[in-house]
Amino acid sequence: MKTEKEKMLAGELYLASDRELSQERLHARMLLKKLNDSAPDELLLRQQVMEQLFRKIGKDFGIEPPFFCDYGYNIEVGDQVFFNFNCTLLDVCPITIGNRCLFGPNVQIYAATHPLESSIRGSLLEFGQPVRIGDDVWVGGGAIICPGVHIGSRSIIAAGAVVTKEVPSDVLVGGNPARIIKNLDKPRQQT
């Protein structure tokens, strides 16, 4: 029989109140407190906390506290990624972020969701869907990225957008729900 954690990681219905998961969230909260209470010049402390918290971080990774997440161990971040103030990642399933991505203040990325059926939802079961973000993506302040979304490389998510479905590469999306506003120039191939 699967544990609640195994169910969570597989994207199946699970109980978040499970003892193991509750302890892991508490561990993440303790690390986040260190990060969020750190002084601006405590760069080494911040780096150490992020290395303990996340599954993987690339070179030149930066966060402006406060920052929030559920577990941390489901977050993989590429090189040269930056999160501005007050970002939240609900990482019950993997959240994978490519290289050279920028996140404005108050960005929210949700891998967590709840059943539509009230009887199941009332049993406190929940589930998640992975979120993937390609390389060179810019996410404007206050944007929300919903569970199961894949954002293609080089795309821009406008401030305040609510992204509910896949975003192809090389587009600007905005609105609620987000829709393609403009196709962006594809990078030229060097010869």
Side-chain angles (χ1 to χ4, degrees):
M1 190 161 133
K2 287 184 178 179
T3 66
E4 297 303 309
K5 180 176 180 176
E6 289 169 334
K7 293 178 198 174
M8 178 186 80
L9 296 174
E12 299 170 6
L13 290 171
Y14 74 97
L15 277 173
S17 60
D18 173 72
R19 180 184 196 95
E20 178 183 21
L21 294 176
S22 296
Q23 289 174 343
E24 290 180 346
R25 283 193 309 276
L26 177 61
H27 176 71
R29 299 299 183 281
M30 299 303 288
L31 290 171
L32 289 167
K33 180 158 178 44
K34 285 182 187 178
L35 175 68
N36 292 335
D37 289 349
S38 67
D41 63 349
E42 292 182 297
L43 301 178
L44 180 59
L45 171 66
R46 288 181 178 186
Q47 181 69 25
Q48 291 169 340
V49 169
M50 291 183 293
E51 287 172 358
Q52 292 175 57
L53 185 62
F54 296 126
R55 171 176 283 157
K56 176 185 173 249
I57 58 171
K59 299 182 301 189
D60 303 320
F61 177 54
I63 289 180
E64 286 290 347
F67 176 85
F68 306 97
C69 66
D70 276 331
Y71 298 95
Y73 57 68
N74 282 322
I75 301 171
E76 291 190 20
V77 179
D79 296 338
Q80 299 175 324
V81 172
F82 177 74
F83 283 95
N84 214 320
F85 301 103
N86 209 39
C87 290
T88 301
L89 280 65
L90 301 184
D91 64 311
V92 304
C93 279
I95 296 175
T96 307
I97 298 167
N99 298 312
R100 298 172 304 280
C101 293
L102 303 172
F103 297 86
N106 300 305
V107 167
Q108 301 169 61
I109 303 173
Y110 303 148
T113 191
H114 298 275
L116 296 178
E117 301 85 2
S118 63
S119 60
I120 299 172
R121 197 171 54 250
S123 69
L124 302 180
L125 290 171
E126 56 187 77
F127 67 102
Q129 297 175 322
V131 174
R132 291 182 299 131
I133 299 172
D135 294 334
D136 301 298
V137 172
W138 176 24
V139 181
I144 298 172
I145 300 170
C146 292
V149 166
H150 172 231
I151 298 173
S153 293
R154 299 172 304 280
S155 286
I156 298 172
I157 311 303
V162 178
V163 183
T164 60
K165 61 184 180 180
E166 183 170 343
V167 174
S169 297
D170 303 301
V171 296
L172 166 65
V173 300
N176 180 4
R179 62 178 176 73
I180 296 175
I181 295 171
K182 178 180 179 176
N183 288 308
L184 302 173
D185 292 335
K186 292 185 181 183
R188 293 183 183 158
Q189 297 290 340
Q190 293 187 4
T191 56

